[in-house]
Structure formats: structure tokens, C-alpha cells
Amino acid sequence: MDVDADRLLQDLRILANFGRKGMGINRPAFSGPDIEARKWLRKSMQDAGLDACIDGVGNVFGSSRNAFSTVLIGSHTDSVLNGGWLDGSLGVVYGLEIARCWLASHPRDGFGIDVISFEDEEGAYVPFLGSSVFSGLLDATVLRTINTRSGKTLEAVLDAWRLSGVPAVRFEPKRCRAYLEAHIEQGPVLETNAKQVGIVTAVVGVRRFHIAFTGQVAHAGTTPVLMRRDAGEALIKFAYHLIEKFRDIAGEHLIWNLGIIALKPGAWYLVPGEGELSVEVRDIDGRTLDAAEAAIHECVNEAAREGNVECRAVKKRQVEPASMDPRMIRIFTEAAKDHGASFMCLPSGAMHDAMVMSQHVPTGMLFVPSIGGRSHVPEENTSTADIILGARVLLRAVELLRESS
Amino acid sequence: MDVDADRLLQDLRILANFGRKGMGINRPAFSGPDIEARKWLRKSMQDAGLDACIDGVGNVFGSSRNAFSTVLIGSHTDSVLNGGWLDGSLGVVYGLEIARCWLASHPRDGFGIDVISFEDEEGAYVPFLGSSVFSGLLDATVLRTINTRSGKTLEAVLDAWRLSGVPAVRFEPKRCRAYLEAHIEQGPVLETNAKQVGIVTAVVGVRRFHIAFTGQVAHAGTTPVLMRRDAGEALIKFAYHLIEKFRDIAGEHLIWNLGIIALKPGAWYLVPGEGELSVEVRDIDGRTLDAAEAAIHECVNEAAREGNVECRAVKKRQVEPASMDPRMIRIFTEAAKDHGASFMCLPSGAMHDAMVMSQHVPTGMLFVPSIGGRSHVPEENTSTADIILGARVLLRAVELLRESS
């Protein structure tokens, strides 16, 4: 049993035509191209012999009709604006291809492959909408969420696509024994380490903080440095010391980002009266995130002790780290070895549907290398050899899972 | 001989009605309110007995017709947008009032008071346009300067006000023995030190630098800290170390401002690929400015040694410091003592027409306190007692200058 490399690549190319714009892909959740792609996927699943539907939140679910024990394989087919052709699509097409292989060679096995494309992983309305609803996490209040570009509510767009009366498919714990998601790495680690496959140990947790500095605008020429309440200088000191603390407490994986700085009024000759700073920390260990959060509050207190500028930190988001199932990690390791694939274990610094699913079912994630580490851009790519090898390792993992159960 | 306090205050109030908007003043150079104010001023000068005109760049010049030796007193009557009622106006109305007093008490003296309101000190078209033309510094190319709000050239607006055929009044070195400018301090130093009068030792020089950082945008979650080219972190380090260096080399007066920071793309989860920072330094000593400039280049070199982010500094402006005349400083000191005014010597951190004039004639500057150190805002103010005392000290300085010549 082997994947059909040509068929796999052709499906990826077909999928890339929905919402194609130049080299890139514009297929945000519930856009016309997204729904068209989902209809194509449903048809492809049906052609493969799966029972397939588009459910009430846009998830495309293909179910092995004779199986009573399954592995769920999938990811998402919505994209960011001007994204690339592989983010999400790769894992979904892997699932489709592996289901085809499995059904062809095990037509009447009680163990089967279910396939899913979750809706709105990228958060045009609600990040991880599809996997959250599938696993029963969300409630009806999300229907009032508004897309900032279109101004439409989720409820209105579901109505427009005639999905509002359709039930949502729910995860069946008794049927589903594992969720496996393959994805492009979206970073440079595999390429830098010359590895063909990455086995994800955990999806990092994320905490986001908005830091606000309030001083007093003043004419920079006429206000001596010692008489100022300089929100910009307070921000620079804060950021510098915070980065030092982050370096000190950084475990193997702690990563941070200070992505937004804004000073007001923002003029050559005006001492800034207000400053804003965004701080994001990610780690696979909640205790490291706690330490990072404590460091932020230490820096807030230091700023307060300096006394002449107010400093306030507000937590804007907290997502807990999600460990991948140790048995799935072992199985992926064995599968990679069976194919002679060079591999390494690594955390996922980006969030994925696997993070949601891991709260409900043993979950494993497999990465293939991203050329130049790039993603969410039209240039996003993976070598053909790596795409095919990834599918083979995933199929082998399914076989090992079947054998060991 | 004494100033008429009521007349002085009334003139200031009348002038504040040209371009008044709420509490504030909108009287940028060559706006309708600016020209109306200049016509009122010309008339007021004529009523005071001066020969007065509006010249070819909008300067209002009032000349003592019998004098062969003069002190020129003035400042500017244009304002910033939403500025205050005293910036510039104070020094012009002082000149008008002192000329009136002098002509009343010395009608046939060979020593007289000339009064000027320079045009466009605030730079709606060209900063210090009036004083620069008056002292012969500018050439015809300035006529092509465009106002960024109206889109009009200086030439077009001079034409519109029928000034383009009118000659510009030029400074006469043989006639003019000193230029005296009174101004609000625009900062908190006099108030903080509880002084009624400030005697300016020098107007600071200014150097402005634009610092650009070029790294590589990356997904913050998937790009390990050590693999990044983080323009934001490079900027924070640069700014932090630069401020440290500035503190080390700061003389009594070095002041700096980092007023603008911009990171691109500017998102929580994206490592900044580009950063921009504005650095402005001001000092009365050119050597201190040289040291500050050297510190900037040291920081650029340090950033270059770190290696993964490009850093480039471009000088955008350089204005040399301008010392006030030591004799004028002595005379102001004596005048303040004669009135029992508490006073201190201090540099001017803001630029003034006095900076331009000091290159051509012995120049002195007198400050009155700014309440709360505020200026260029509608709340800009000075106590009535301080306004009156400032005029008396200035008049006394003129008497002392007359006596000592």
C-alpha cells in the first residue's frame, strides 16, 4: 500500500485554484472560493468512497461508513489573505489520499479513516471555529462575531450559504481513536537542520499583553530631560529590560515578540505622552509562560518605581500549551524510520486545530519543511519530494496505529 | 518712563482675536487672520508714530523716522495651528509698547526703537522666513516651497496677497545696534525655579537623525528567537544604549528626544522587518552636539557588529547653536535687578528669530514664565504680573543700552 504521488499532487494543485490570485491564495473562511473548495472536497471524498457532508459551520467531514474504529486525519482549507497553497490544504489532501489508499486495500476493515477540513482555522470570524464546534467547545454566542473586513456576522454568512439549518457534526469519542494532522512547518527549523520530517511534541501556549505608558506630551526643546514624563523612554527601558529577563528565563523554546510599538503624538520635537507596546510569549510549558508573565509584571513595577510615567499591562489572550500524545510521537518516529526519513522532534510555535483536538483525543502532528521558513505568503512552498515523503510517513503511521491497537 | 500696562494687555487681547478658535489661535503665516493681524499691527505702529509697512515677505516693520541709531525689538505674529495667544505676539507687542513709550518721552532723540513682526517663524512655508530674508540669508529658490496643507507655493500665496512686487526690507547694520526679542519660555524651568524673568544665554543648536533598521519579517511563533532578523529588537537595543550614551555625555544642557518609533508590519505575531526611529539632540555647545552625533554613529556600528539587522543613520537637519551677546546678557541682568525681578540665566531649547538675527547683530533674548511650561496649545499662558514685569525689564534694558552707548 502506497500513496499515489501524482494523484496527491494533482489534488493539491486543483485545491490551489480556488481563490488563486497570482502566486498566492485568497480563500478566507466563508468566501466564495472557500465554499467552492469545500464542495469540491466533499465530491472528492464521496468519489473516494466516504460518506461526506458540509456541516452547519462549514466543516467538510468524510466518514468511513463501515468502520467502528477510526483515525481522523485533517486540517483546514481556509486560508489567510494572500496566503500560500499548502497551509492547511496539505493535511487535508493527505487525509483524502490516505483514506483512498486505505479503502482500496481494506474495503471492509472495521478500522477506517475519517477525513476533515475544519472551517475558519485562520480566524476570519473565529479562530479554530470548525475544530472548536466539532469538539463541542463553542456556544451560540459566536454567531454574533463580526468579520472586520465584510462587516457581516457569522450568523449572516452561514445564512447566506444556507448552512444555518444544517446540524454541526460532533466528535464521537467512541469511534475516533486518534487525530492526526500534517502541516507545513511555517518556520526555518527543519530546513536549517536538514530534516525531511518534523514530529511535533507540543503546540505552544500563547499569552498576549498590551502595555500602555502614560506620560505628558512636552516640547522636547524647552523641557529639560529631568523634568519630562517621557512615555517613549519609559517604553524603551521597559522593552529592553523585558527582553533581558526573557533571555534569562528562556527555556529551550520560549519565544517572544514585541511586534507593535506606537508613540503619540509622534513628532521629532515632541516628547511622547503615550506609548503602546505589544508583547506575545509562546512556550510549550505553562510554567515558563507563568515566569514570562511574572517578568512582565516585574517590569511594570520597575516602571512604576521610576515614578513619572504610568505603566499598565493588560492580558489580551491566553491559550494553554497542548502536548501531543506520546504514543503518536513514538508512532511517527517509527514511521519516519521505516521510510528512512531524516526527522527531528520540535514544538509547534504556531497554533493549529490539533491544539483544540488534543483536549479530546490522542493527537499527533507531523511537519514537512517550509522552504525558507516562509508561510502566509504567496511564496510559501515545500519541495515535491518532501510533500510526497510526508504523506508516506503519515500513511505508515496509520498502519502502525492499526497494528498496535 | 514706564510701559502702559493696560494698553499693553489690550493690544495682546486684540491681537489674540485674529484667528481665535475657542481658547486657541490659528494664525499660520499668510492665512487670512495672519494678514489681517499684520494690517492691524502696521496701523498700530503708524498710530504710535513709526513709519510702518508690510514688506515683500510679510514682515511688518516699524521704523523710527528720526533715529540714526536704533534697537530693533520684535518677534513674530504668525502662530502654529491651535497654538496659544502669546507665542511670538508677546515680543511684538512689547516692541510696539516700548516704541510708543520711547517716542513719547524722547521724540527727537537720535536713538530710537524699530519694531518688527517677522513672518512665518513657525514654518508654514519656511521656518524663520521673515528673519532670514530680513538678514539676507535666503535666496529666490524658497519661493517654490510648498505648504503641505494648502498645496500652494510661497510664490503663489505672496502673489495672492499682492506682496510679490513689494521689496523686502533688509537689515541695516549701520543703523541697528541690537536686536532684542522677548518670548514666553515655552518650558517649565522658570516656573519650577520660581523666577519671574529668564535671560537667554544661547539658543541651542539642533541636529536631527532618522535611523532605519532593516531585518526580515517572520512569523513570531514559528521562527526561533536566534533565527530572527528582528528590526524591532535592534531598534530597542539601539535606543536604550543611545540614551545611556546621551546621559554620559550630557553637559548641563544637552537634551534629546526620540519622538517617533514605527515598526512594520506591526502585528502581534509578526517579527518586525523594518523599524524607524527619530533622534533629535539640542545643545548650546557645538562640541556637545558633535559628541552626541558620534554616539549615534557608535550605536550604528554596534548594531552593525551584531550583524543580522541593517542599521543606517541619516542626518535630516543641522542648525548651529547661537550665543546671545554677553553685553545684552549683562544689560538684561542689570535691568531685572533694577526692577527687583527674580531671574535666572538659561538656554533657549526652542529656536527663535533671535537665532537668525544673532548672526548679524548683537542679540539678546528675554523669557517670561510659561504656566505649566505649556506652549503651542490653546492653554498657553503667562500671569498678567509676569507679562507686565517682562515689558518693564525690556524697557529698562533699552534705557541701559542707550545710556551705555
Side-chain angles (χ1 to χ4, degrees):
Chain A
M1 186 173 50
D2 190 14
V3 297
D4 181 331
D6 290 337
R7 193 169 56 182
L8 171 72
L9 293 168
Q10 193 182 337
D11 281 345
L12 279 171
R13 286 190 206 104
I14 291 168
L15 193 45
N17 279 324
F18 296 100
R20 176 186 292 281
K21 190 184 165 192
M23 285 270 292
I25 306 290
N26 276 312
R27 207 164 60 219
F30 301 111
S31 63
D34 174 53
I35 297 296
E36 287 307 308
R38 287 174 187 275
K39 288 178 179 170
W40 168 84
L41 182 62
R42 178 178 58 188
K43 176 73 166 52
S44 301
M45 287 177 176
Q46 288 164 346
D47 291 347
L50 298 170
D51 287 337
C53 67
I54 299 176
D55 84 350
V57 292
N59 288 334
V60 190
F61 183 63
S63 159
S64 285
R65 73 175 66 94
N66 298 323
F68 50 84
S69 171
T70 60
V71 173
L72 177 64
I73 304 180
S75 187
H76 61 96
T77 49
D78 63 298
S79 84
V80 295
L81 290 170
N82 289 309
W85 72 307
L86 294 175
D87 187 336
S89 297
L90 182 92
V92 173
V93 170
Y94 276 10
L96 174 65
E97 177 57 23
I98 288 169
R100 268 191 303 235
C101 295
W102 197 266
L103 280 167
S105 56
H106 306 72
R108 281 178 197 80
D109 196 359
F111 180 89
I113 314 294
D114 291 345
V115 183
I116 198 156
S117 167
F118 291 117
E119 180 58 300
D120 205 14
E121 194 263 357
E122 300 289 7
Y125 291 82
V126 180
F128 314 106
L129 171 71
S131 48
S132 299
V133 170
F134 184 75
S135 53
L137 282 182
L138 284 180
D139 62 38
T141 60
V142 297
L143 293 173
R144 293 195 292 270
T145 309
I146 292 170
N147 177 291
T148 50
R149 286 172 55 89
S150 69
K152 287 182 193 161
T153 62
L154 179 55
E155 187 165 29
V157 83
L158 286 171
D159 218 47
W161 291 117
R162 300 176 185 225
L163 292 171
S164 45
V166 179
V169 174
R170 292 297 171 103
F171 169 67
E172 290 179 51
K174 286 181 187 164
R175 174 186 173 88
C176 182
R177 288 163 46 193
Y179 172 66
L180 300 181
E181 180 169 357
H183 205 279
I184 54 169
E185 182 206 334
Q186 302 184 261
V189 177
L190 294 177
E191 187 179 78
T192 305
N193 290 281
K195 302 297 182 192
Q196 294 164 299
V197 158
I199 298 164
V200 176
T201 52
V203 179
V204 298
V206 178
R207 299 190 195 176
R208 287 182 172 175
F209 301 85
H210 177 265
I211 322 287
F213 301 83
T214 309
Q216 171 73 51
V217 183
H219 187 296
T222 58
T223 312
V225 169
L226 292 175
M227 291 188 184
R228 295 180 186 179
R229 298 179 55 213
D230 185 337
E233 191 165 315
L235 184 151
I236 289 162
K237 279 189 189 173
F238 180 100
Y240 184 87
H241 290 132
L242 185 63
I243 290 169
E244 280 190 330
K245 284 182 200 288
F246 282 166
R247 287 197 193 284
D248 286 346
I249 62 177
E252 198 178 345
H253 304 303
L254 175 68
I255 49 186
W256 60 84
N257 191 47
L258 280 57
I260 304 170
I261 296 180
L263 302 183
K264 288 181 187 172
W268 287 92
Y269 69 98
L270 291 177
V271 176
E274 291 176 48
E276 281 182 44
L277 172 69
S278 76
V279 178
E280 187 182 76
V281 290
R282 299 177 188 235
D283 200 88
I284 57 170
D285 187 340
R287 289 164 303 181
T288 306
L289 293 171
D290 288 342
E293 185 167 345
I296 291 168
H297 291 299
E298 280 167 32
C299 285
V300 169
N301 291 339
E302 278 168 29
R305 272 197 298 279
E306 299 238 340
N308 61 348
V309 171
E310 284 171 45
C311 175
R312 227 157 46 91
V314 176
K315 197 192 287 185
K316 304 294 272 188
R317 192 171 186 190
Q318 174 157 349
V319 178
E320 297 305 330
S323 293
M324 297 297 100
D325 188 72
R327 181 160 161 251
M328 298 304 142
I329 294 171
R330 281 197 306 276
I331 283 173
F332 276 136
T333 305
E334 205 174 321
K337 285 179 181 165
D338 287 349
H339 278 286
S342 60
F343 67 95
M344 66 186 288
C345 290
L346 77 174
S348 170
M351 293 181 277
H352 295 289
D353 290 306
M355 182 186 74
V356 178
M357 294 303 294
S358 69
Q359 298 172 50
H360 306 280
V361 62
T363 293
M365 259 203 107
L366 192 72
F367 277 168
V368 297
S370 291
I371 294 172
R374 304 193 72 187
S375 75
H376 282 197
V377 291
E379 298 76 17
E380 169 185 292
N381 212 352
T382 298
S383 76
T384 303
D386 285 341
I387 288 174
I388 295 165
L389 182 60
R392 289 186 167 137
V393 172
L394 185 59
L395 174 57
R396 182 69 191 130
V398 171
E399 289 177 327
L400 292 169
L401 197 62
R402 169 75 174 88
E403 288 166 16
S404 69
S405 31
Chain B
M1 186 172 52
D2 189 14
V3 297
D4 181 331
D6 290 337
R7 192 169 58 181
L8 171 72
L9 293 169
Q10 191 182 339
D11 281 346
L12 279 171
R13 287 191 205 104
I14 291 168
L15 192 46
N17 279 323
F18 296 100
R20 175 186 294 279
K21 191 186 165 191
M23 284 271 292
I25 305 289
N26 276 312
R27 207 163 60 216
F30 301 112
S31 63
D34 175 52
I35 298 296
E36 287 308 308
R38 286 172 188 278
K39 287 178 179 170
W40 168 82
L41 182 61
R42 178 178 58 188
K43 175 73 166 49
S44 301
M45 288 175 174
Q46 288 165 344
D47 291 347
L50 297 170
D51 287 338
C53 68
I54 299 175
D55 84 350
V57 292
N59 289 332
V60 190
F61 183 63
S63 161
S64 285
R65 70 175 68 93
N66 297 323
F68 50 85
S69 171
T70 61
V71 173
L72 178 65
I73 303 179
S75 187
H76 61 96
T77 50
D78 63 299
S79 85
V80 295
L81 290 171
N82 289 310
W85 72 306
L86 294 175
D87 188 338
S89 297
L90 182 92
V92 173
V93 170
Y94 276 9
L96 175 63
E97 176 57 23
I98 289 170
R100 268 192 300 235
C101 294
W102 197 266
L103 280 167
S105 57
H106 307 71
R108 281 177 197 81
D109 197 2
F111 180 88
I113 313 295
D114 290 346
V115 183
I116 197 157
S117 167
F118 291 119
E119 181 58 300
D120 205 14
E121 193 264 358
E122 300 289 5
Y125 292 82
V126 179
F128 313 106
L129 171 71
S131 49
S132 299
V133 170
F134 184 75
S135 54
L137 283 181
L138 285 179
D139 61 35
T141 60
V142 296
L143 292 173
R144 294 195 292 270
T145 309
I146 292 171
N147 178 290
T148 50
R149 285 173 55 91
S150 70
K152 288 181 193 162
T153 62
L154 179 55
E155 187 166 28
V157 82
L158 287 171
D159 219 46
W161 291 117
R162 301 178 185 221
L163 292 171
S164 45
V166 179
V169 174
R170 293 299 171 102
F171 169 68
E172 288 178 55
K174 285 182 186 160
R175 173 184 173 86
C176 182
R177 288 163 45 195
Y179 171 65
L180 300 182
E181 181 170 358
H183 205 281
I184 54 168
E185 183 205 335
Q186 301 185 261
V189 177
L190 293 178
E191 188 179 76
T192 305
N193 290 280
K195 302 296 182 192
Q196 294 164 300
V197 158
I199 298 165
V200 176
T201 52
V203 178
V204 297
V206 178
R207 299 189 195 175
R208 288 182 172 176
F209 302 84
H210 177 263
I211 322 287
F213 301 84
T214 309
Q216 171 74 50
V217 182
H219 187 295
T222 58
T223 312
V225 170
L226 293 174
M227 291 187 182
R228 296 180 185 178
R229 298 178 56 215
D230 185 337
E233 191 165 317
L235 183 150
I236 289 163
K237 279 188 189 174
F238 180 100
Y240 184 87
H241 289 132
L242 185 62
I243 290 170
E244 280 190 329
K245 284 183 199 289
F246 282 166
R247 286 196 194 285
D248 286 346
I249 62 177
E252 197 179 345
H253 304 303
L254 175 66
I255 48 186
W256 60 85
N257 192 46
L258 280 57
I260 303 169
I261 296 180
L263 302 183
K264 290 182 188 171
W268 288 91
Y269 68 99
L270 292 176
V271 176
E274 291 176 49
E276 282 182 44
L277 172 69
S278 75
V279 178
E280 186 183 76
V281 289
R282 300 178 187 233
D283 201 89
I284 57 170
D285 187 340
R287 290 164 304 181
T288 306
L289 292 171
D290 288 343
E293 184 167 346
I296 291 169
H297 291 299
E298 280 167 32
C299 286
V300 169
N301 292 338
E302 278 169 29
R305 272 197 300 279
E306 298 237 339
N308 62 348
V309 171
E310 284 172 46
C311 176
R312 226 158 47 89
V314 177
K315 196 192 289 186
K316 305 294 271 189
R317 190 171 187 191
Q318 175 158 349
V319 178
E320 298 305 332
S323 293
M324 297 297 99
D325 188 74
R327 185 165 157 247
M328 297 304 140
I329 294 171
R330 280 198 306 276
I331 283 174
F332 277 136
T333 304
E334 203 173 323
K337 285 179 181 166
D338 288 349
H339 277 285
S342 60
F343 68 94
M344 66 186 288
C345 290
L346 78 175
S348 169
M351 294 182 278
H352 295 288
D353 291 306
M355 183 186 75
V356 178
M357 293 303 295
S358 70
Q359 297 171 52
H360 306 280
V361 61
T363 293
M365 259 202 108
L366 191 73
F367 278 168
V368 297
S370 291
I371 294 172
R374 304 193 72 187
S375 74
H376 283 198
V377 290
E379 296 77 18
E380 169 185 292
N381 212 351
T382 297
S383 75
T384 304
D386 285 342
I387 289 174
I388 296 166
L389 182 60
R392 288 186 168 140
V393 171
L394 186 58
L395 174 57
R396 180 71 191 132
V398 171
E399 289 175 328
L400 291 169
L401 197 63
R402 169 76 174 86
E403 287 165 18
S404 71
S405 32

